Amino acid sequence: MHSVTGVDPHLDIETYDPSADLMVLNLGPQHPSTHGVFRVKLYLDGEIIIKAVPYAGYLHRGVEKLCEELTFVQIIPIVDKNDYVSPMMNEQAIAMACEAMLGIEVPPRALYLRTIFAELQRLASHLLWLGTFGMDLGGALGGGATLFMYCFRERETILGLFEEVTGCRFHYNTHAVGGNRHDITPKFSCDTKTTLEVIEKRLEEYVQIFSSNRIYRARTQGIGVLDGDLANSLGITGPLARASGVDHDLRRDAPYHIYGELDVKVFTESAGDCFARTLVRLNEMYESIRIVREIIDSVPEGPILGMKPGKSPGHIKIDASQGYSCIESPRGELGTYIIGGGKSRGASAYRLKIRSPSLHAASCIPYLFPGHTVSDAVAILGTLDPIMGEVDR
Amino acid sequence: MTRDEAQQRFVALLQERFGVEEIPDDNYPLIDAKHHFELARVLREEFGYRIYSFVVASHYLEKVDAKNDNAVIDIEHYEVATGIRCVGAPAHLASWRVRVELDQSIPTLFPLFAGADWQEREQYDLVGVRFDEHPDLRRLMMPEDWEGHPLRKDYAIETACPPWR
Amino acid sequence: MAVDESQRTYEHPLYQHVERMPGVSVALGSIDQLLTWGSANSLWIFPMATSCCGIEFMAAAASGVDLDRMGSIPRGTPRQCDVMVVAGTITVKMAPRVKKLWEQMPEPKWCVAMGSCAISGDFYRDIYSVIPGIDTFVPVDVYVPGCPPNPEALMHGLLLLQEKIRMVREGTLTREEVRPESPPNLNRPAIGRLQDPERDPLTDEEQTDSAAGLGFGDNLNLAQIRRPRPEPELRPQVDAEPRPQVDAEPRPQVDAELRPQVDAEPQPEVDADEESAP
């Protein structure tokens, strides 16, 4: 009823195929192309998928339950592990939700740092996606692991920048309620600019690979078309929705950090297929590079962790109010819904829900897979870019 | 339209058409369960709130007043908060809460929003609140034969699980 | 469910055939060396990558560290592999699959637990859906600690595994391998979590304070912000229960019921209002 192509995600397979001629193929949970532990049960007629039934929960670690047990300070390193490809975003989402509910002002320097970290993280996350997607498509991009090797080379340089600031390659624990913990050095700005220059130059090569490779175009153009209305209705945001023509980006439409002062360009494509998603992500990588370059030299001096005098960050307490705040992660709207007033008189949340963009992205699989072949399914799953830690939490 | 204007419009809608008297400052408005589906439909079709954002169910235990001879203040119940968002600027989020009694269920939003399928399944799995006329109300996260709903308040975090489940 | 260690062989299957061939017993010494060399230097890896550590595993396989140069090639199927690297949290829903994939690997095979989730469950250890360490159902040869371990640490772990393989084949592994048998109840660890009943709750609070106060700017003094502690006589009395005696004998298998309950301890209420701040 929601799909324009007439795909019914709840197709009754016994009525459709009473003689049970369909072949059932199990993709996952341990499959190199599922990017983690995800299982899709495919009903195949020949090589064409008739119905796809996804199963999640193979990495359900009870993070939301754990967040109810711990205090707001303790949960920041825990939520790092949700979207393990972009941990900075998880921290920012939690920290911003607490700040919004407590009315804490974040110093401007911390806001600049958060914006820089977020954009660098977006770049790193999209690079990892590009590399693994290249590997998924196998020979289409000039040999299985070629692009993977290239992209990880670039990603390592960004992780090196983060390591210089926070001491960790990932799971940084660098954001706190009210600001940041680790300050950047003057060297950071110089290093970042050098790194970005290298990445920008190499991105051009990748764009050439994408735009000129005939096999690649044949495998992605017109494959896995996601309708814009269906994307909205499923709650899909981020690059996936923008590739389907939805002109929506929280950085521009509901600015946080310092995005209000910046002119964030939002790239949309109308096709909604795998190729469009690739283009949107590549454009976003260029845009991230531009944003970081624009603000890296204008970071104001000042403190990076602000608190009201007499209020220690160890004793953040939220009363029984409720609130939701969200940021634009590399995969879409990453939000945190907090119901305060939990254990020890509000030092922990009564209920904490992480609104993960990956779960919404994964939920379009029953709509996209039918009508495609198994090899197309791998390409579609690659462009959806679901991170299982975030799907299952 | 700014976000404040959109919020005012949302509040006016709640007060005029759905009989909500008070809108708390630090909380989302609580509406009656029978208006739940209708409010979502009006927001989607008349006001253009087309992005399905979230659904959060929470479980509340029975609350007693210890000072006053353990008089029952509030019985055990669920609360379901739903949020939907409009496309593009100002990306206003319309969010409301519904109180659901333990033996009641709440209408599903699946006919309006396809995303409600998985989100409501997840909330059913973890909290235990049931959604009426949901096309496929199975567990999403936990194994199908799992006992209990982990995010309920009476479910201990250390609950032992039999091996190989 | 116990792992049968007697079934586990480090012998290369080819070795048996070679030994039976007539006329080669003279050359056996050097063939043995050859097989040892080959066995240790062609560890094909089956990445059981479930979460964050999987990304670091990918980084280790990519251009920076490059596992290929020591003969370790990640493969997508268990049937071609020698080493299973378990990188990430294993949940109760995933554990049967891990076990099945482990059983599908041909002998000889080894297992590396990468990251603290695979080693012990990390802070997810007590959660209803998480297996507290994969050594409760799969024998582990090398533990690579970290959250997540750097790619270099994984490399080091594989080098240690190579050394172990060499030592086992040459018979120089003097230390007896201690592998605890799988507990009958798989969801619980063999050793209970250490509970210190004498620990003052104020210490916890102090540590939280100092951890949260890291990275303050110049204009804020941490000492000013920290609240004054309550007077010593006002401190809540902690139960003067003697600590449980640790027996010299090996610990029995701790069952789920025998584990010390966290909630059972009285949590003294600490006054943490902000009014007492200067």
Side-chain angles (χ1 to χ4, degrees):
Chain A
M1 106 187 52
H2 292 284
S3 171
V4 282
T5 49
V7 172
D8 178 13
H10 305 297
L11 177 75
D12 187 359
I13 211 75
E14 282 177 10
T15 351
Y16 177 85
D17 175 40
S19 54
D21 281 340
L22 295 188
M23 178 186 169
V24 181
L25 183 71
N26 206 8
L27 191 72
Q30 171 60 36
H31 188 273
S33 78
T34 53
H35 295 262
V37 278
F38 192 59
R39 176 179 163 214
V40 191
K41 200 171 165 188
L42 303 173
Y43 291 90
L44 301 174
D45 186 357
E47 214 193 337
I48 305 294
I49 299 168
I50 303 297
K51 185 189 180 186
V53 187
Y55 293 86
Y58 288 94
L59 193 54
H60 177 68
R61 304 190 272 198
V63 172
E64 289 173 7
K65 187 82 176 174
L66 190 59
C67 288
E68 291 171 12
E69 305 283 323
L70 304 176
T71 64
F72 285 111
V73 177
Q74 288 171 319
I75 62 178
I76 287 181
I78 308 270
V79 295
D80 258 348
K81 280 90 178 165
N82 282 346
D83 179 357
Y84 41 76
V85 176
S86 50
M88 287 283 185
M89 300 293 183
N90 300 310
E91 296 177 5
Q92 290 182 1
I94 291 278
M96 277 178 58
C98 293
E99 284 152 10
M101 294 190 72
L102 291 165
I104 296 177
E105 286 271 318
V106 180
R109 186 177 173 86
L111 287 181
Y112 270 80
L113 291 193
R114 285 182 182 188
T115 313
I116 292 170
F117 288 161
E119 291 306 321
L120 285 177
Q121 187 73 76
R122 191 183 315 276
L123 190 54
S125 170
H126 282 345
L127 276 171
L128 189 132
W129 163 79
L130 189 60
T132 49
F133 183 51
M135 203 157 61
D136 287 347
L137 286 189
L141 291 173
T146 312
L147 199 61
F148 172 75
M149 294 286 179
Y150 285 164
C151 289
F152 263 78
R153 179 183 61 187
E154 265 77 86
R155 186 174 173 271
E156 289 291 318
T157 56
I158 297 179
L159 293 192
L161 292 176
F162 286 148
E163 194 172 7
E164 193 186 310
V165 178
T166 65
C168 308
R169 281 166 55 84
F170 55 98
H171 301 342
Y172 310 103
N173 194 12
T174 182
H175 294 82
V177 179
N180 279 28
R181 291 180 206 275
H182 305 102
D183 206 346
I184 56 171
T185 53
K187 190 166 159 282
F188 179 79
S189 149
C190 182
D191 286 355
T192 309
K193 276 187 271 187
T194 323
T195 309
L196 291 183
E197 205 162 305
V198 174
I199 293 179
E200 193 179 24
K201 210 187 293 170
R202 287 178 180 160
L203 264 182
E204 277 168 28
E205 291 173 26
Y206 308 152
V207 173
Q208 272 180 7
I209 295 176
F210 276 102
S211 54
S212 61
N213 189 324
R214 200 186 284 176
I215 305 172
Y216 174 72
R217 295 180 82 121
R219 286 205 60 185
T220 53
Q221 281 185 327
I223 301 296
V225 177
L226 176 65
D227 180 59
D229 281 342
L230 178 64
N232 284 340
S233 165
L234 280 166
I236 293 175
T237 45
L240 290 181
R242 288 196 279 279
S244 304
V246 180
D247 193 9
H248 179 83
D249 190 323
L250 291 174
R251 290 179 292 169
R252 183 199 61 192
D253 299 333
Y256 54 96
H257 296 348
I258 60 159
Y259 287 116
E261 303 164 21
L262 303 171
D263 183 24
V264 182
K265 260 186 259 164
V266 179
F267 297 95
T268 55
E269 292 280 329
S270 55
D273 56 1
C274 292
F275 194 67
R277 286 171 217 146
T278 315
L279 291 181
V280 167
R281 286 202 177 94
L282 284 171
N283 277 326
E284 278 188 12
M285 281 154 80
Y286 277 115
E287 180 67 7
S288 293
I289 293 176
R290 191 191 67 76
I291 291 176
V292 175
R293 275 209 190 126
E294 190 180 325
I295 59 175
I296 188 81
D297 281 329
S298 52
V299 180
E301 292 296 320
I304 54 166
L305 185 56
M307 272 286 155
K308 284 180 195 160
K311 201 162 199 177
S312 157
H315 294 101
I316 293 160
K317 295 202 168 160
I318 296 181
D319 56 0
S321 59
Q322 306 191 2
Y324 176 79
S325 79
C326 53
I327 64 170
E328 182 80 20
S329 93
R331 281 158 202 85
E333 175 187 339
L334 174 62
T336 312
Y337 192 95
I338 294 180
I339 302 179
K343 286 188 175 166
S344 351
R345 289 189 270 159
S348 54
Y350 185 81
R351 170 91 165 86
L352 189 142
K353 148 107 181 168
I354 294 158
R355 187 257 188 227
S356 61
S358 292
L359 180 61
H360 290 262
S363 69
C364 76
I365 286 173
Y367 295 91
L368 291 198
F369 276 17
H372 291 100
T373 59
V374 178
S375 56
D376 289 340
V378 173
I380 296 169
L381 195 60
T383 48
L384 293 183
D385 193 20
I387 299 299
M388 285 313 133
E390 206 182 34
V391 171
D392 301 339
R393 300 186 300 282
Chain B
M1 187 191 285
T2 63
R3 211 190 297 188
D4 287 342
E5 285 167 12
Q7 176 67 20
Q8 282 167 10
R9 192 180 64 174
F10 175 54
V11 169
L13 172 75
L14 287 177
Q15 285 169 338
E16 286 161 19
R17 288 174 60 176
F18 295 99
V20 180
E21 282 105 31
E22 51 160 355
I23 310 285
D25 286 341
D26 59 347
N27 215 330
Y28 293 115
L30 189 67
I31 69 159
D32 200 285
K34 63 175 185 270
H35 296 319
H36 175 65
F37 187 85
E38 182 63 13
L39 175 60
R41 193 193 63 77
V42 167
L43 282 171
R44 177 185 153 84
E45 278 160 21
E46 295 176 22
F47 294 88
Y49 286 77
R50 302 192 82 85
I51 299 182
Y52 183 78
S53 197
F54 61 84
V55 55
V56 186
S58 46
H59 175 239
Y60 291 86
L61 287 174
E62 188 181 71
K63 210 167 158 187
V64 292
D65 191 357
K67 288 174 191 158
N68 190 9
D69 198 19
N70 285 349
V72 177
I73 300 174
D74 204 353
I75 58 169
E76 192 179 351
H77 66 283
Y78 302 115
E79 211 175 82
V80 178
T82 311
I84 55 180
R85 188 184 281 282
C86 57
V87 183
H92 177 248
L93 179 85
S95 184
W96 65 91
R97 296 179 293 144
V98 175
R99 183 189 161 108
V100 186
E101 300 303 333
L102 211 58
D103 53 348
Q104 283 181 351
S105 55
I106 174 172
T108 175
L109 293 187
F110 179 70
L112 300 175
F113 298 100
D117 183 1
W118 278 35
Q119 296 295 313
E120 290 174 354
R121 264 177 75 189
E122 189 201 359
Q123 297 307 311
Y124 160 70
D125 180 2
L126 298 180
V127 183
V129 59
R130 299 191 71 87
F131 293 87
D132 269 343
E133 295 177 22
H134 190 283
D136 189 22
L137 200 61
R138 285 179 293 129
R139 284 184 178 274
L140 182 66
M141 295 298 171
M142 309 307 296
E144 306 235 330
D145 55 347
W146 191 265
E147 287 165 16
H149 301 281
L151 283 186
R152 287 170 79 110
K153 288 291 161 183
D154 48 8
Y155 191 97
I157 191 167
E158 296 192 313
T159 304
C161 40
W164 301 126
R165 274 244 282 221
Chain C
M1 217 57 74
V3 179
D4 192 0
E5 285 299 312
S6 62
Q7 296 294 316
R8 213 172 131 81
T9 168
Y10 292 101
E11 292 279 289
H12 197 283
L14 193 60
Y15 186 80
Q16 307 284 341
H17 294 282
V18 171
E19 205 171 23
R20 267 185 250 116
M21 283 162 71
V24 293
S25 57
V26 185
L28 256 189
S30 46
I31 284 180
D32 198 46
Q33 281 175 3
L34 182 73
L35 287 177
T36 307
W37 174 81
S39 176
N41 286 297
S42 66
L43 294 172
W44 286 19
I45 297 177
F46 175 55
M48 191 65 233
T50 59
S51 60
C52 338
C53 294
I55 305 292
E56 280 301 63
F57 179 84
M58 278 153 69
S63 38
V65 175
D66 195 11
L67 286 178
D68 289 14
R69 63 186 149 142
M70 48 188 276
S72 297
I73 307 169
R75 302 294 295 179
T77 162
R79 297 183 195 278
Q80 300 172 342
C81 295
D82 308 301
V83 186
M84 179 163 83
V85 176
V86 182
T89 321
I90 302 297
T91 61
V92 280
K93 204 171 174 182
M94 191 65 200
R97 279 86 181 170
V98 179
K99 182 80 178 171
K100 192 168 213 166
L101 289 164
W102 168 253
E103 283 162 358
Q104 284 176 355
M105 284 170 62
E107 292 281 356
K109 57 190 174 186
W110 298 274
C111 180
V112 175
M114 179 184 180
S116 42
C117 286
I119 294 172
S120 68
D122 203 0
F123 44 67
Y124 303 115
R125 184 187 178 98
D126 280 336
I127 292 180
Y128 49 91
S129 63
V130 174
I131 297 280
I134 57 157
D135 53 2
T136 49
F137 61 98
V138 170
V140 177
D141 293 280
V142 178
Y143 295 87
V144 184
C147 185
N150 280 1
E152 293 83 3
L154 178 64
M155 190 83 158
H156 182 230
L158 287 171
L159 288 172
L160 284 179
L161 180 61
Q162 287 188 349
E163 198 180 320
K164 178 176 176 179
I165 292 168
R166 268 184 228 115
M167 286 166 84
V168 168
R169 284 195 61 89
E170 289 160 7
T172 50
L173 188 69
T174 49
R175 201 179 50 188
E176 200 180 334
E177 284 206 35
V178 185
R179 289 225 184 93
E181 214 173 280
S182 297
N185 191 358
L186 257 176
N187 54 324
R188 281 297 142 201
I191 303 168
R193 178 175 278 182
L194 182 66
Q195 291 280 332
D196 188 358
E198 289 178 6
R199 188 178 164 92
D200 192 337
L202 285 173
T203 319
D204 293 345
E205 212 174 315
E206 213 167 308
Q207 284 184 348
T208 313
D209 261 13
S210 74
L214 287 174
F216 267 86
D218 294 326
N219 60 339
L220 287 170
N221 187 356
L222 193 59
Q224 284 178 354
I225 286 166
R226 194 170 284 158
R227 290 168 297 97
R229 298 274 155 238
E231 293 302 312
E233 61 268 22
L234 291 180
R235 287 193 172 205
Q237 290 297 315
V238 182
D239 283 356
E241 229 176 79
R243 299 181 65 162
Q245 292 292 317
V246 181
D247 294 339
E249 289 162 14
R251 262 184 181 215
Q253 297 288 325
V254 183
D255 217 339
E257 289 79 27
L258 295 179
R259 291 190 69 229
Q261 292 294 317
V262 181
D263 291 337
E265 273 187 38
Q267 290 291 329
E269 196 61 42
V270 182
D271 191 30
D273 287 336
E274 272 85 32
E275 290 94 55
S276 54

